[in-house]
Amino acid sequence: MLYILSAHECRQFLRALENLDTATRCGGNILYHCGLRVGELLGLTWSDLMQDGKVRDTFTIRAETSKSGRSRLVPIPSLLQAEIYRHLESSQTKAFGQIRLYWPVIPGTLDHAWSVRWFELRLKVIGEKWLQRHLTPHMLRHTFATRLLKIADI
């Protein structure tokens, strides 16, 4: 089984995200463009991504949300910054303009909080419907790493 997405599948995945709610779209884009683990994504708060009302150029994965137990710095591409702004605007509307920096970026719904398993199932549905293949958060991490290696020509 191939554990990365082809260039065509990457385009299909990003196109599929455009049709989803802002939290899923933003979360999928963060996984794809930053190579995060799903637990790290779900551990992000607005204070991790925002400073003085603007999206940061980089953010830190805190040691307590990292699988390795170490913090690390992650760059935020400009394309992703725009997506984060869209999600922030949508979140503020849902919260009646009262977003809090300590709130999670991917908050879940009124019915239940998002778990790692729930987000995995969201990606599985995207994979089956749009890519006709199995899709996991970790495949997006592998795809990110492979794209980096191709760019660096290592």
Side-chain angles (χ1 to χ4, degrees):
M1 179 183 234
L2 190 59
Y3 293 104
I4 63 167
L5 299 180
S6 68
H8 174 72
E9 289 171 328
C10 289
R11 288 189 298 276
Q12 287 292 100
F13 171 72
L14 294 173
R15 196 170 302 127
L17 290 178
E18 293 172 9
N19 298 304
L20 302 174
D21 60 280
T22 61
T24 304
R25 186 172 61 227
C26 187
N29 272 294
I30 291 172
L31 291 175
Y32 176 77
H33 291 290
C34 296
L36 268 58
R37 294 178 179 93
V38 69
E40 295 168 342
L41 168 70
L42 298 177
L44 287 176
T45 63
W46 285 110
S47 64
D48 294 323
L49 300 180
M50 305 293 295
Q51 184 173 12
D52 300 326
K54 296 181 180 177
V55 176
R56 300 171 187 256
D57 292 331
T58 62
F59 66 95
T60 301
I61 294 294
R62 298 180 314 277
E64 61 267 18
T65 61
S66 171
K67 180 180 174 183
S68 67
R70 294 181 299 224
S71 61
R72 69 180 189 280
L73 197 62
V74 179
I76 302 176
S78 57
L79 177 74
L80 181 56
Q81 289 176 353
E83 186 61 51
I84 292 169
Y85 276 122
R86 277 193 289 280
H87 178 47
L88 175 64
E89 288 172 7
S90 173
S91 298
Q92 285 176 327
T93 302
K94 291 176 187 172
F96 305 104
Q98 299 295 321
I99 198 82
R100 302 286 187 257
L101 289 177
Y102 58 83
W103 285 359
V105 174
I106 310 298
T109 65
L110 295 175
D111 299 328
H112 62 314
W114 281 10
S115 66
V116 168
R117 183 66 183 138
W118 193 89
F119 205 83
E120 288 172 341
L121 290 174
R122 290 288 287 168
L123 289 179
K124 180 181 177 185
V125 169
I126 292 169
E128 290 170 354
K129 182 176 179 181
W130 288 83
L131 306 175
Q132 289 75 47
R133 70 175 288 188
H134 185 71
L135 178 64
T136 67
H138 211 72
M139 286 174 71
L140 296 175
R141 184 172 166 83
H142 281 240
T143 301
F144 171 79
T146 302
R147 286 180 25 239
L148 279 183
L149 288 172
K150 286 181 181 178
I151 291 169
D153 194 28
I154 297 176

